[in-house]
Amino acid sequence: MGNLRTALLAWLWARRSGREFLIRVEDLDRVRPGAEQRQLDDLRTLGLDWDGVPVHQSGRLDLYDAAIARLDRDGRVYECFCTRREILEAPTAPHHPPGAYPGTCRDLTDAERAQRRTERPAALRLRADVATFTVEDELHGTYEGAVDDFVLRRGDGVPAYNLAVVVDDAEQGVDQVVRGDDLLPSAPRQAYLATLLGTRPPVYVHVPLALNASGRRLAKRDGAVTLGELRADGIDTFALIADSLGLTGATPQEVLATFDPATLPTERWVFVPPG
Ligand SMILES: [Zn+2]
């Protein structure tokens, strides 16, 4: 329900400004069989339509390779051999925000790198030359957040989420990103990376997430939280979502006719599944 609610908002933001609404399947990590089809079916059931054919990140590895190669030519990439634990335990410099990569592998010598390569496969990190970056968000205004030497390619060879979405947005011509506000802190990193890759960062709209009764992100263990489960319980899921947003209309098209972002609730939506 949380993801579908965000999808409805993304659709409304796109359509009210005459934009296309694109579907991208972010499947660089292993996905459950059937999950994609279920999600697309759910969108259709809610009455959301989209433009073109969904693209799959798993089929776009060449694009991510090319972006990393470009950054590497610009001297922006270095190998990192740190484990998660080493990063957590490393002493942090005062100007580093909590959780930021402390720069341990930034200036290793060739000999040190050669030695560490025998120990574990390297991740690739961005050599960032800023500590913060500012983005524009339609709900949050001007937002400044931390940028560190974040991962571009994981140690297991998989392109990092932050890299993949920036490359995809640029390649697909995405100029507006509407998503859950748990991703707001990632936006400055992604916008900074976009500028390094020579593209304009999108306009962001980070919308309030759906939470369970204890204030955590809504998840399967909370009960009937999928569209299929709620419909099986006889619940009008579109009405439930529209109501949670203070929107009127029985279909996305009807809601669109009167949609005004200024009237959206700004607090997160607490959803208590029935039963
Ligand atoms: Zn490292």
Side-chain angles (χ1 to χ4, degrees):
M1 286 301 276
N3 291 337
L4 290 170
R5 184 174 185 259
T6 301
L8 172 62
L9 289 172
W11 184 93
L12 288 167
W13 244 279
R15 295 306 190 212
R16 74 187 283 272
S17 55
R19 285 178 167 88
E20 295 189 324
F21 182 62
L22 304 183
I23 303 278
R24 187 163 73 221
V25 182
E26 301 190 336
D27 58 351
L28 290 176
D29 280 305
R30 212 162 58 83
V31 287
R32 270 173 297 130
E36 174 187 338
Q37 199 50 51
R38 236 178 353 262
Q39 289 173 355
L40 295 179
D41 288 346
D42 283 356
L43 294 175
R44 273 191 212 97
T45 302
L46 275 194
L48 301 180
D49 60 350
W50 55 87
D51 297 284
V53 180
V55 302
H56 294 76
Q57 287 188 326
S58 58
R60 297 161 69 83
L61 296 176
D62 288 352
L63 287 174
Y64 312 135
D65 288 346
I68 291 172
R70 173 176 174 172
L71 293 165
D72 193 30
R73 281 196 298 277
D74 294 343
R76 290 273 175 201
V77 181
Y78 67 89
E79 291 170 289
C80 169
F81 303 91
C82 297
T83 61
R84 196 177 298 258
R85 182 181 176 142
E86 282 168 338
I87 292 171
L88 285 174
E89 289 176 352
T92 49
H95 60 277
H96 278 107
Y101 179 67
T104 318
C105 300
R106 200 177 224 258
D107 299 308
L108 294 181
T109 64
D110 288 348
E112 285 167 331
R113 264 196 299 275
Q115 168 59 33
R116 307 261 352 227
R117 278 189 204 122
T118 67
E119 297 163 9
R120 71 170 63 90
L124 299 180
R125 286 187 181 272
L126 177 72
R127 191 181 294 275
D129 56 9
V130 300
T132 64
F133 202 75
T134 300
V135 298
E136 293 304 322
D137 184 288
E138 281 196 25
L139 292 180
H140 297 263
T142 301
Y143 174 84
E144 184 179 19
V147 175
D148 64 351
D149 286 358
F150 57 89
V151 171
L152 301 170
R153 184 190 299 287
R154 302 179 340 205
D156 62 5
V158 176
Y161 174 78
N162 278 330
L163 175 90
V165 294
V166 170
V167 170
D168 287 334
D169 287 349
E171 195 276 332
Q172 294 185 277
V174 171
D175 65 350
Q176 181 188 68
V177 170
V178 183
R179 59 187 184 185
D181 60 10
D182 55 329
L183 287 167
L184 180 59
S186 301
R189 288 183 179 84
Q190 293 164 7
Y192 173 63
L193 181 57
T195 63
L196 294 182
L197 289 169
T199 61
R200 203 186 162 91
V203 169
Y204 292 100
V205 187
H206 287 91
V207 299
L209 273 188
L211 303 178
N212 65 16
S214 42
R216 293 204 191 81
R217 191 186 176 126
L218 205 56
K220 216 144 188 52
R221 63 181 169 279
D222 294 317
V225 296
T226 69
L227 184 132
E229 290 163 342
L230 289 163
R231 279 163 63 90
D233 287 348
I235 288 165
D236 180 344
T237 46
F238 186 83
L240 185 63
I241 290 174
D243 189 54
S244 80
L245 292 164
L247 303 171
T248 50
T251 64
Q253 290 295 347
E254 283 181 30
V255 167
L256 181 60
T258 56
F259 176 60
D260 177 5
T263 65
L264 285 181
T266 52
E267 63 281 2
R268 291 175 165 193
W269 179 44
V270 176
F271 176 63
V272 180

